[in-house]
Amino acid sequence: MNEFDFIRKIREQTRLRGASPDLLRGIGDDAAVFKSAPGSNLVITTDLLIEDIDFRHHTTMPGLLGHKALAVSLSDIAAMGARPRWAMLSLGLQAAIWDSGFADRFYEGFFGLADRYSVKLIGGDVSRAPERTVIDSLVIGECSPDRAVLRSGAKPGDQIYVTGFLGDATAGLRLLERGARLHGSREVLDPTLDDETSEVHPIDRLLLRQLKPEPRVGWGILLGDSQLATAMIDLSDGLSSDLNHLCTESNVGALIDASLIPIDPLVRDVCGRRALDPLMLALHGGEDFELLFTVDPQAAAKLPKRVDGVALTRIGEITTVSSGVQICEGSRVWNLEPGGWEHFKG
Ligand code: ADP
Ligand code: MG
């Protein structure tokens, strides 16, 4: 298959997914043309995945990579409190990977996730890479005027919340590094299935938290529309790093309580058997793609308990900048230094 056959095929797949009145020109021209809703703000983000830095071909599958490439960008859009609408995807592939049919399976995973949120693929690029696969994913979202949730809006006294569990993705990465592989059940191989609701082997569930992260799109839209979050960031580097980013941008400090941090019982179990500290994974492990946000205590009662089956946990409170970013464990309090990506780089 040459490049042009390939583009024709992708174009046909987007055509089969139906027209959208606000898409004036998708794949097939020099650029895409779309209308944004009158008065809405556009939100745009891009992410790179590089072979052997962000993933390894021998521990994942093309469909899972297609899912993950989109998921990481959807997570950024969610962290802005916006609704994802349009995607562009660019691939640099070695000749052997191109010949293996990688792209077809990659786009299966990509569309599996895109379709769940009605995100339209409107273009991209493809080229040959000499040595390593390169994937660039761009997503455009929309939000109501001036409703984007920034990192900079947290105020002393605000409560700090996270969605889901922390540390799972790094636990999954540790298992992959020690040789664990997906069992290859139908649920695992079907990139369109939602593993959080389907029956998956417990170890596969952790591996998939690393290989097939679920962006918190529903929470992002809700928190943006309701204006309940005063500041927000997605947990891509790790809680310690990302909380520090949010506090720096907001010019505040924070105090979180180690005993409140949501850790999946499965992660505790896996860590216990492998001499890993679950709290360290939850504090410094990256790629959970959960949302971390702050809420005025007066408004906290309005937060829903769950969105799309994903629960919230309050983990601490915003303080003044002079007290820094701290964590308490019982009566002990220490500074929470940003330690995410340095220690846990894949
Ligand atoms: P150019 O030479 O101007 O870059 P291309 O032949 O690469 O044009 O692209 C033609 C059309 O195909 C464009 O609409 C582009 O967005 C789309 N396209 C190219 N590669 C991809 C891809 N990997 N995924 C989706 N659309 C793509
Ligand atoms: Mg091109």
Side-chain angles (χ1 to χ4, degrees):
M1 187 171 55
N2 70 28
E3 184 184 332
F4 303 107
D5 295 333
F6 165 74
I7 292 173
R8 248 191 304 281
K9 203 156 135 186
I10 300 292
R11 182 178 182 178
E12 177 62 10
Q13 288 186 29
T14 60
R15 198 189 61 78
L16 289 172
R17 290 181 152 76
S20 153
D22 39 11
L23 183 59
L24 305 176
R25 191 71 168 119
I27 294 175
D29 219 301
D30 296 312
V33 187
F34 62 85
K35 284 192 259 193
S36 51
S40 73
N41 287 168
L42 293 181
V43 177
I44 183 164
T45 183
T46 179
D47 288 278
L48 263 183
L49 293 180
I50 308 276
E51 180 180 352
D52 291 345
I53 302 293
D54 301 295
F55 68 90
R56 295 177 193 281
H57 280 299
H58 71 273
T59 60
T60 187
M61 291 183 255
L64 299 176
L65 266 179
H67 172 104
K68 185 164 179 175
L70 179 61
V72 299
S73 296
L74 293 184
S75 180
D76 283 323
I77 297 289
M80 299 302 290
R83 178 184 298 272
R85 298 293 316 279
W86 319 106
M88 298 188 102
L89 196 283
S90 299
L91 288 173
L93 300 178
Q94 306 96 306
I97 301 275
W98 176 265
D99 292 338
S100 72
F102 172 93
D104 285 345
R105 284 172 291 144
F106 178 94
Y107 278 96
E108 251 177 61
F110 181 94
F111 284 123
L113 179 59
D115 291 350
R116 273 179 23 213
Y117 297 113
S118 304
V119 170
K120 300 268 181 207
L121 181 67
I122 61 171
D125 204 4
V126 62
S127 183
R128 196 162 90 189
E131 281 174 25
R132 288 187 173 78
T133 300
V134 177
I135 303 165
D136 177 54
S137 155
L138 180 151
V139 173
I140 300 169
E142 282 180 330
C143 65
S144 302
D146 304 317
R147 291 265 174 108
V149 183
L150 307 183
R151 293 178 178 182
S152 52
K155 297 274 178 295
D158 285 357
Q159 298 186 345
I160 305 172
Y161 287 86
V162 291
T163 58
F165 290 116
L166 306 189
D168 300 30
T170 303
L173 181 60
R174 290 285 169 275
L175 293 174
L176 287 172
E177 286 168 351
R178 293 170 190 216
R181 294 292 177 267
L182 290 170
H183 285 69
S185 59
R186 196 186 69 82
E187 289 81 359
V188 167
L189 293 172
D190 181 346
T192 62
L193 280 179
D194 179 354
D195 322 297
E196 287 170 357
T197 52
S198 49
E199 285 297 309
V200 174
H201 186 281
I203 294 296
D204 281 351
R205 194 155 65 75
L206 282 187
L207 299 181
L208 286 168
R209 287 277 285 159
Q210 165 62 217
L211 299 173
K212 189 178 174 236
E214 285 303 326
R216 301 312 183 193
V217 175
W219 268 114
I221 293 169
L222 179 127
L223 291 167
D225 280 348
S226 65
Q227 289 196 287
L228 285 170
T230 53
M232 180 150 58
I233 188 169
D234 70 322
L235 294 174
S236 54
D237 294 339
L239 176 63
S240 61
S241 298
D242 293 320
L243 178 58
N244 270 282
H245 294 320
L246 185 145
C247 287
T248 302
E249 290 301 317
S250 294
N251 195 32
V252 294
L255 176 62
I256 62 169
D257 182 339
S259 69
L260 297 178
I261 292 175
I263 297 176
D264 191 328
L266 179 59
V267 169
R268 288 190 193 283
D269 184 47
V270 161
C271 284
R273 293 176 203 207
R274 290 169 179 79
L276 294 167
D277 181 350
L279 182 61
M280 288 300 132
L281 298 191
L283 290 178
H284 307 301
E287 297 204 294
D288 283 320
F289 297 106
E290 298 295 348
L291 295 174
L292 168 74
F293 59 93
T294 55
V295 179
D296 182 312
Q298 306 284 309
K302 295 190 199 131
L303 285 170
K305 294 265 175 298
R306 284 170 183 275
V307 171
D308 299 336
V310 180
L312 274 191
T313 308
R314 187 181 59 77
I315 60 167
E317 196 177 297
I318 295 293
T319 57
T320 58
V321 67
S322 55
S323 27
V325 178
Q326 296 188 306
I327 180 167
C328 66
E329 199 172 7
S331 57
R332 290 198 314 131
V333 179
W334 70 90
N335 289 334
L336 183 63
E337 303 295 345
W341 60 273
E342 285 178 357
H343 300 149
F344 289 91
K345 210 162 139 184

